[in-house]
Amino acid sequence: EAGVVQSPRYKIIEKKQPVAFWCNPISGHNTLYWYLQNLGQGPELLIRYENEEAVDDSQLPKDRFSAERLKGVDSTLKIQPAELGDSAVYLCASSPDNTDTQYFGPGTRLTVL
Amino acid sequence: GENVEQHPSTLSVQEGDSAVIKCTYSDSASNYFPWYKQELGKRPQLIIDIRSNVGEKKDQRIAVTLNKTAKHFSLHITETQPEDSAVYFCAASYSGGGADGLTFGKGTHLIIQP
């Protein structure tokens, strides 16, 4: 079984530019999460989807961050415009129905110059 | 919201000795407590988890204990090996059949000295 897939793995942009990250969860996993991991810290939840519905986006900075999961499978996280403080690893995770276990992808390392 | 504190931030042990990492949580409604291992540049990987209806769980050299009254849980690794060197994160969430987002501790960098 393939794991959670994320792309790109690395992204370098200049501040004020837009950037997008893509996540493909494990097949059949209806719950999808985006987390932000700063250097030396634990992941922090940004948004949780149940199928195509964002059921918890309370930690998503909505002035510059947006996310979508249009068909309830793949998801895209976007930042526009990016700021220096957005440099971090963006992790995607997925979970099967009626379980607690979350499986993480390899992450996208964003560097904003 | 939930707050998870994790100690120590760095732990160095001799190969073959035991390692213990401790976490406390603030929300008494939390009922799911996983532990993740993350090697440098890699994804977090689940190594063990425990739910609030259980006080202890063991998987080979790894065990987790939970004290709901005190709101703390601990990871125990026995007979440590060089490949155990990594950053370990504890986490907590409320699970009502589906999986809420996890609140993570800040991590413990475990160093196994040969």
Side-chain angles (χ1 to χ4, degrees):
Chain A
E1 178 181 85
V4 176
V5 178
Q6 291 187 247
S7 69
R9 292 294 315 280
Y10 305 91
K11 188 73 176 179
I12 301 173
I13 61 172
E14 294 192 344
K15 63 181 180 181
K16 299 185 182 180
Q17 294 301 306
V19 64
F21 315 123
W22 176 80
C23 173
N24 179 238
I26 294 172
S27 178
H29 286 197
N30 293 325
T31 308
L32 183 146
Y33 313 79
W34 283 102
Y35 288 86
L36 163 72
Q37 186 174 27
N38 286 305
L39 188 64
Q41 302 291 317
E44 301 171 29
L45 180 71
L46 290 172
I47 190 167
R48 174 169 71 101
Y49 281 94
E50 294 288 347
N51 298 299
E52 65 273 11
E53 182 182 1
V55 296
D56 182 0
D57 63 355
S58 57
Q59 301 304 311
L60 189 71
K62 299 181 183 64
D63 56 337
R64 297 184 300 107
F65 287 65
S66 64
E68 59 184 17
R69 193 183 185 200
L70 294 176
K71 296 183 179 180
V73 180
D74 295 358
S75 177
T76 303
L77 178 68
K78 298 178 182 177
I79 308 175
Q80 182 171 10
E83 297 179 352
L84 295 176
D86 296 332
S87 295
V89 175
Y90 291 81
L91 292 163
C92 180
S94 69
S95 180
D97 283 349
N98 299 316
T99 71
D100 307 308
T101 306
Q102 296 184 26
Y103 300 87
F104 283 83
T108 297
R109 180 176 295 278
L110 173 66
T111 301
V112 182
L113 302 176
Chain B
E2 177 64 276
N3 182 52
V4 177
E5 300 283 343
Q6 182 170 349
H7 301 279
S9 57
T10 303
L11 178 60
S12 181
V13 301
Q14 290 293 124
E15 183 178 350
D17 288 351
S18 296
V20 180
I21 302 170
K22 299 182 178 182
C23 290
T24 60
Y25 61 99
S26 62
D27 190 347
S28 56
S30 290
N31 59 1
Y32 175 62
F33 307 93
W35 287 87
Y36 283 84
K37 175 183 180 182
Q38 188 175 31
E39 297 177 13
L40 189 63
K42 302 287 182 64
R43 71 186 74 196
Q45 291 197 306
L46 179 71
I47 56 172
I48 196 167
D49 57 13
I50 192 167
R51 291 167 179 78
S52 58
N53 58 345
V54 175
E56 183 174 359
K57 183 176 178 181
K58 189 173 181 179
D59 182 4
Q60 299 182 4
R61 297 186 297 108
I62 295 173
V64 58
T65 58
L66 171 66
N67 183 325
K68 286 190 298 182
T69 303
K71 288 191 274 188
H72 68 69
F73 55 114
S74 300
L75 177 71
H76 305 252
I77 305 174
T78 59
E79 302 173 11
T80 53
Q81 301 169 4
E83 53 265 36
D84 294 330
S85 293
V87 179
Y88 291 80
F89 292 98
C90 62
S93 75
Y94 170 73
S95 173
D100 280 7
L102 295 168
T103 300
F104 285 83
K106 291 188 175 182
T108 296
H109 185 192
L110 178 61
I111 302 165
I112 308 300
Q113 303 277 8

